[in-house]
Amino acid sequence: SQTIHQWPATLVQPVGSPLSLECTVEGTSNPNLYWYRQAAGRGLQLLFYSVGIGQISSEVPQNLSASRPQDRQFILSSKKLLLSDSGFYLCAWSVGRGAEKLFFGSGTQLSVL
Amino acid sequence: KQEVTQIPAALSVPEGENLVLNCSFTDSAIYNLQWFRQDPGKGLTSLLLIQSSQREQTSGRLNASLDKSSGRSTLYIAASQPGDSATYLCAAYQAGTALIFGKGTTLSVSS
């Protein structure tokens, strides 16, 4: 069966510090991978999605970046965090195109202070 | 650009009541529409997926309908229970992008 791992579960970082959140998927090949952010009082915002190694699409301008060094690994990074980067970050995966379900990780609660 | 709206933002009902959650989307050219459940501080759990060619999907006490022409979907929950308390999100999928989510409806079922 397929599983998705996301860590850490919680993270408190000072403004200006770097960020690295990691997500891995097991039990499937060539998944589509996604990073979403959920800020307090706001909906789920798509940040990045990837259909293959090295293929990253960005949905919104920001100081975040994403990388996919391996087929089932997706990393969200920042060189310098802002207060506005606080939120609940969710990684998700799917297979195929168009009609597939989306499966989510358990999320990382990031607080930038 | 696709926009997904959910009404109401919050809903409180007594146990046993049947209820309907609403979702609307601006661009009817979707591949599918999905309903998710999110418990506080947790990830999302997929509840139902309706393909663009389908009208509804059912799972237990849940029934989701889709009307592409009007840009609407509804999630019907029968005989609500306190364990149904959570935030329910709908999301529309289009080609060339990923799921676009509404802000959700937070449901509270009192015993």
Side-chain angles (χ1 to χ4, degrees):
Chain A
S1 63
Q2 301 90 353
T3 56
I4 179 170
H5 302 280
Q6 189 181 341
W7 67 92
T10 59
L11 190 61
V12 180
Q13 292 284 96
V15 170
S17 64
L19 173 73
S20 181
L21 302 181
E22 189 164 342
C23 171
T24 59
V25 180
E26 296 178 356
T28 187
S29 296
N30 196 29
N32 302 317
L33 296 172
Y34 310 85
W35 279 110
Y36 283 89
R37 176 171 62 200
Q38 190 174 37
R42 300 180 64 180
L44 231 63
Q45 180 186 34
L46 176 65
L47 301 176
F48 301 95
Y49 69 96
S50 171
V51 298
I53 296 175
Q55 300 179 58
I56 310 292
S57 296
S58 175
E59 288 294 301
V60 293
Q62 59 214 331
N63 71 321
L64 300 171
S65 62
S67 62
R68 186 170 177 173
Q70 301 179 36
D71 180 45
R72 289 170 288 178
Q73 184 184 29
F74 206 22
I75 298 173
L76 182 69
S77 303
S78 175
K79 293 182 179 179
K80 289 185 178 181
L81 284 169
L82 306 173
L83 287 174
S84 58
D85 291 324
S86 294
F88 192 52
Y89 288 81
L90 288 157
C91 179
W93 71 274
S94 66
V95 292
R97 287 182 178 270
E100 68 284 357
K101 281 187 177 182
L102 204 63
F103 299 93
F104 281 83
S106 55
T108 295
Q109 183 63 55
L110 172 65
S111 298
V112 182
L113 305 177
Chain B
K1 184 178 179 181
Q2 178 75 273
E3 292 184 4
V4 179
T5 304
Q6 290 187 247
I7 296 174
L11 181 64
S12 293
V13 300
E15 182 177 6
E17 190 163 303
N18 302 325
L19 58 100
V20 174
L21 306 182
N22 296 295
C23 171
S24 61
F25 45 95
T26 55
D27 188 342
S28 62
I30 61 172
Y31 278 145
N32 66 49
L33 188 130
Q34 300 184 34
W35 283 92
F36 294 84
R37 168 184 172 140
Q38 185 178 28
D39 293 294
K42 304 294 185 182
L44 278 67
T45 300
S46 179
L47 297 174
L48 290 165
L49 182 153
I50 311 175
Q51 309 284 9
S52 61
S53 58
Q54 297 175 322
R55 299 284 290 184
E56 64 179 326
Q57 281 287 326
T58 298
S59 176
R61 295 182 293 108
L62 305 180
N63 175 276
S65 67
L66 175 64
D67 184 343
K68 280 183 58 178
S69 61
S70 66
R72 294 179 181 179
S73 176
T74 61
L75 179 66
Y76 175 82
I77 303 177
S80 59
Q81 303 171 358
D84 294 330
S85 298
T87 297
Y88 292 82
L89 298 104
C90 71
Y93 182 90
Q94 287 185 286
T97 181
L99 281 177
I100 304 300
F101 284 81
K103 293 184 178 181
T105 294
T106 298
L107 173 65
S108 177
V109 181
S110 56
S111 56

